[in-house]
Amino acid sequence: MVIVNEREKVFHLYNERISYLFYVMESGQLGHLYFGKALNPKGSYLHMVEKAHRPMSTYINEGDLYTSYEHLRQEYPCYGTSDYRYPALEVQGGDGSRLCKLEYQEYEITKGKKPIPGLPAVYVEDDREASTLEILMRDTWRNLDVIFSYTIFKEIDAIARSVRFVNCGQEVLMINRAMSMSVDMPDADYESIQLSGSWSRERHVKVRSLEPGITAVSSLRGNSSHQHNPFLALKRKDTTECSGDAYGFSLVYSGNFLAQAEVDNYNVLRVMLGINPFGFQWKLGPGEEFATPEAVMVYSKDGLNGMSLQFHRLYRSRLARGYWRDRERPVLINNWEATQFNYVEADLLRFAGKAKECGIELVVLDDGWFGARNNDKSGLGDWKANREKLPDGIEGLSEKIEALGMKFGLWFEPEMVNKDSDFFRNHPDYMIQTPGRSASHGRNQFVLDFSRKEVVDAVYEQMYDLLSNAKISYIKWDMNRSVSECYSSAYPADRQGEIFHRYILGVYDLHERLLQAFPRLLIESCASGGGRFDAGMLYYAPQGWVSDDSDAIERLKIQYGTSFVYPLSCMGAHVSACPNEQVGRNTPIETRGNVALTGAFGYELDLNQLNCKEIEIVKRQVEFYKSHRNMIAFGDFYRLQSPFEGNFAAWEIVRPDADMAIVTVTRVLSEINGPYRRLPLCGLSKSRKYHVKSKYLSYDAYGDELMQYGMMLEDRSSGQAMDDSGCCQDFLSVLYEVTAIE
Ligand code: DGJ
C-alpha cells in the first residue's frame, strides 16, 4: 500500500481505489503531487510538479527565478519564507523568530497503525488492514524533529494523518500553529460543503462555490460546536450523491478547530484541518513532545454517498470501539422531555412500567436526580442522589428498573459545576476563570478546569463510586455550555495557550478511565444536543444525541446533514410527544417513528400519555426496530432525496449482502393530485428480484429496475388511500421494505 521511488523520492500511498502522492523537493521540504482515484503504482510522477517563472515573486535561491514556495504545491507548508498562503506550521524560537524550515531525513513503513497517546484515533485490529508511512523531517536550526504519519487502509478509501513534534534541542520552542493535515490540490474548481447551524439546528448542509481567498469553518468555543462541524467536503460542480469526485476531510477532535480551503491566484487549492491556531500556543520544552489530533481524508469517485460510505465504514468499525461497537443498541426511553426536573421515584417507575409493556429495553434517567437539582441553578458537581426524589438512591432505583426486566441509564454533566453545590463550595478554585475578571455563565453553570488532573480525579471518584454501586449500564454525558474566560491557575503564563487543548485531553482522559473501569458501559455523548457531535467523541461514545430538536421534520435536515460523515449507529434519534416541545408541531406518530428508526432508536415522552392506538403503533415500531436494528446500524446508508432541495426527504439502508433495503420517504407538506413519483434506489443487486412493500403498495421488481427506473412511491393524496381521507396529510412519512425474493 506504500511504494517509494527511492531515486525520485516519491511516496505513493494507494489501495485499489485511491492514490495519494508526494515527493521530496530539492530544498528538502515535501511537495504534494496527487490525491484522488487510484493511479498505476509503477509510474514516475515528478512531471506533475507545475513550476513556471512567475514575475513579482520571492524566490528561495539567489540567481534562480523559478523556485518559490508560493508556486509549489506543498505537503505541510511552514511559515516564514516565500509562501504567502496560510501555513500548516508556525514555530517560534527563543530569538522571537517564527521561521521554520523542515527538511526530509528518512522514512519508515510499518504494517498497521500506532495509537496517538491521549487522543482518539482510528485503529486497526489486524496489521494487514493498513500500512503506515512515517516521514521524519527536521529543522536543524531549531533542533526540532517533526514526524508526519500517514496511514492508508486496504479496504476503506481513507488516509489518516497526524503530526508529532519532538524538541531535540536545549531551547524552548513555542508551537503557534500545527495543523493535522494540509494538502495543495492542483485546481480549485470545487464546491465546498460544510455542516453548519446552531443549537437545535445542527449540521445543515451548506454548499459554497470556492472563490479566491478563504472559505473556512471553525470553533473557538472549547467544544467542536453546534455552529460548525469539524469537517469539510469538496465536490465538483457536476458531482451528485451517486457519481463524481468527492473529497471529505474530517478531524478526530472535539475542541477548537479550523477547517479551511484557500484558493490562490493560480487557482491552486490548499485545504487544511487541525486545532484552531487562534488562541492556541504550545510550549515545547527540551525533550518534550506534542502530537496533533488525527485528520481523516476520504476520496470517492462515487459521489457524496460514496464518500459518506467510507466515513461510515471507518468510523463505526475502526474509530468506535469496545463492547458496544458491533452490538445491537438497546431501545431506550429518556424522561427529559416528559418530566424535565419534576419527578419522584414513583413517577419514574410508572414511566418505566409502560415502557416495559411496549418492549423498551433501557430506561434513562436524565437531569435532576442529584444534589439540590430542582432547576438549572444548583446541584451540578454533586453526583449523589437527591433522596427527596429518590429515597432509595440510584442504587435502589436501578435495582427496581432491572427487576422490571430493563436496563438502567443515567445522565451526567461531568465537566460542569453550579456555584450552588457542595462541590463548588469545597473547590471554588476548580472552575475555569481568568483571575481578576468576571466569569461568564451559561445556563447558570461554570466549566470545571479539566486541564488539571486533580479536577478530573475528583469527578472520576464520584462517578466511579456510583457506577460501581448501582446497576448502571449506560450514561448520557451532557455538556451544556462552551468555555469562556479560558485560563487555568495551575499553569504558568506561557502555557495558557495550551488550556483549551488540555481541557479536551482531560475530557478524553475521564472517558478513557471510565471505560477501562467499566468496559461494558454504553456512553452516549451529548452537548445541548449536538454541540460536540464529532469523530473524537465517537472513539469513547459509540452513539450521540444528535440534537435537542426532536421534531421529526426538523430532524430530516439534521440527520441528513449528520449522515455526511457519521454512521447511523451513532445517531441518537427519539420519538417525542406532540405538540413537539421545540417547535410546537404536530406530526403523525408513524412519521416520528420512521425518522427516529433510522438511528440509535428510542423514545423521549411519557408513554402513559398515549392512547391505545398510539401504544399499538409504539409496540410495532419497537418490534420493527428490534428485528431490523442490525442492518440499520451496520448496513450501507444512501441519501436519496435532500430535504434542503424540496418538499421530500428520502434515504435508504441496504444490508451489505443486498438481501434487503429499508427506504424512508417523508413528504413535508401535502400536495394534491401530484405527479407520479419514482425514487431510484442504490446498492441493490441488479439481477435479483425484490418485493416492495409499504402500507398501500406491494409489487415485485428487479434490482436494476428499482435502481434505474426507480421505486414507485405510494401517494395517498391521489386518492389511493380512501381510509385516510380527512386526515391531515402534511408531514407524511412512508417506510418501504424492499426484500429480495430470488
Ligand atoms: C441538554 C440535553 O441535550 C437534553 O437532552 C437534556 O439532557 C438536558 N440537557 C438536561 O439538562
Side-chain angles (χ1 to χ4, degrees), residues 521-542:
L521 185 67
L522 173 58
I523 304 182
E524 174 150 353
S525 69
C526 174
S528 299
R532 203 164 57 188
F533 200 102
D534 53 61
M537 295 315 298
L538 200 47
Y539 188 65
Y540 308 94

Side-chain angles (χ1 to χ4, degrees), residues 30 71 130 137 197 241 295 396 409-410 461 469 524 538 563 676 742:
L30 296 189
H71 308 306
M137 305 289 289
E241 282 286 9
L410 194 60
E461 275 160 31
N469 290 315
E524 174 150 353
L538 200 47
S563 77
Y676 294 107
E742 268 174 18

Side-chain angles (χ1 to χ4, degrees), residues 199 226 334 336-337 340-341 366-368 373 376 380 411-413 443 445 476 478-480 526-530 545 547-549 604:
W199 171 78
H226 298 93
N334 178 303
W336 176 247
E337 288 197 15
Q340 303 256 325
F341 299 102
D366 210 280
D367 199 352
R373 186 74 167 171
D376 63 20
L380 287 177
W411 181 96
F412 285 94
E413 197 174 359
R443 209 195 186 203
Q445 66 196 46
K476 177 174 172 186
D478 208 345
M479 195 267 187
N480 281 301
C526 174
S528 299
W545 184 224
S547 174
D548 269 349
D549 195 336
E604 188 94 13

Side-chain angles (χ1 to χ4, degrees), residues 347-624:
D347 304 326
L348 299 171
L349 292 174
R350 262 196 307 279
F351 179 84
K354 195 70 181 173
K356 172 68 188 167
E357 190 189 315
C358 294
I360 290 170
E361 299 159 310
L362 169 72
V363 176
V364 179
L365 176 56
D366 210 280
D367 199 352
W369 58 268
F370 50 90
R373 186 74 167 171
N374 296 315
N375 53 45
D376 63 20
K377 294 192 176 59
S378 56
L380 287 177
D382 296 342
W383 302 109
K384 287 203 172 45
N386 177 325
R387 293 279 170 167
E388 281 169 29
K389 293 180 181 177
L390 307 173
D392 297 329
I394 291 297
E395 292 84 346
L397 175 63
S398 62
E399 273 167 24
K400 289 172 202 173
I401 300 285
E402 288 222 343
L404 288 173
M406 285 184 286
K407 296 287 181 196
F408 177 74
L410 194 60
W411 181 96
F412 285 94
E413 197 174 359
E415 300 151 69
M416 298 292 156
V417 69
N418 286 119
K419 286 194 174 171
D420 184 4
S421 68
D422 290 340
F423 190 85
F424 181 79
R425 283 183 279 274
N426 292 333
H427 304 291
D429 58 320
Y430 273 13
M431 71 182 232
I432 288 187
Q433 58 188 329
T434 303
R437 303 277 174 170
S438 61
S440 307
H441 74 95
R443 209 195 186 203
N444 302 302
Q445 66 196 46
F446 297 86
V447 186
L448 289 172
D449 184 355
F450 265 42
S451 71
R452 294 167 63 180
K453 185 171 176 306
E454 64 274 28
V455 177
V456 177
D457 287 347
V459 178
Y460 175 75
E461 275 160 31
Q462 290 197 65
M463 293 179 80
Y464 179 85
D465 195 42
L466 209 51
L467 289 165
S468 23
N469 290 315
K471 295 189 181 324
I472 301 170
S473 307
Y474 157 113
I475 66 176
K476 177 174 172 186
W477 182 309
D478 208 345
M479 195 267 187
N480 281 301
R481 59 157 293 187
S482 297
V483 179
S484 60
E485 293 87 23
C486 184
Y487 187 95
S488 174
S489 51
Y491 291 88
D494 57 3
R495 289 206 178 265
Q496 292 302 321
E498 302 174 10
I499 304 307
F500 270 119
H501 182 59
R502 286 188 182 275
Y503 174 86
I504 286 294
L505 294 179
V507 172
Y508 291 152
D509 179 42
L510 182 54
H511 277 91
E512 189 64 45
R513 284 153 75 176
L514 289 170
L515 287 171
Q516 293 297 333
F518 306 100
R520 292 189 174 197
L521 185 67
L522 173 58
I523 304 182
E524 174 150 353
S525 69
C526 174
S528 299
R532 203 164 57 188
F533 200 102
D534 53 61
M537 295 315 298
L538 200 47
Y539 188 65
Y540 308 94
Q543 59 192 61
W545 184 224
V546 172
S547 174
D548 269 349
D549 195 336
S550 61
D551 172 70
I553 299 306
E554 296 291 307
R555 280 287 185 124
L556 293 175
K557 288 183 175 167
I558 297 170
Q559 292 177 203
Y560 193 92
T562 304
S563 77
F564 271 66
V565 195
Y566 307 102
L568 295 194
S569 56
C570 77
M571 284 193 211
H574 301 171
V575 173
S576 61
C578 276
N580 172 265
E581 186 181 287
Q582 296 80 35
V583 294
R585 185 178 282 133
N586 285 302
T587 50
I589 192 157
E590 292 89 344
T591 298
R592 282 176 271 155
N594 283 358
V595 176
L597 279 166
T598 42
F601 182 62
Y603 289 83
E604 188 94 13
L605 77 180
D606 185 354
L607 293 167
N608 292 298
Q609 307 296 323
L610 301 189
N611 61 34
C612 297
K613 195 174 158 214
E614 288 170 323
I615 287 292
E616 285 316 306
I617 295 172
V618 168
K619 286 182 183 167
R620 283 206 299 277
Q621 288 171 344
V622 172
E623 209 179 288
F624 179 86

Side-chain angles (χ1 to χ4, degrees), residues 12 94 105 147 170 172 203 222 282 409 413 418 477 520 527 538-539 545 575 622 625 669 698 706 722:
H12 185 177
Q105 305 297 314
I147 300 103
Q170 296 307 314
V172 167
R203 293 175 297 286
W282 195 275
E413 197 174 359
N418 286 119
W477 182 309
R520 292 189 174 197
L538 200 47
Y539 188 65
W545 184 224
V575 173
V622 172
Y625 186 70
L669 291 181
S698 173
L706 292 167
M722 300 309 289

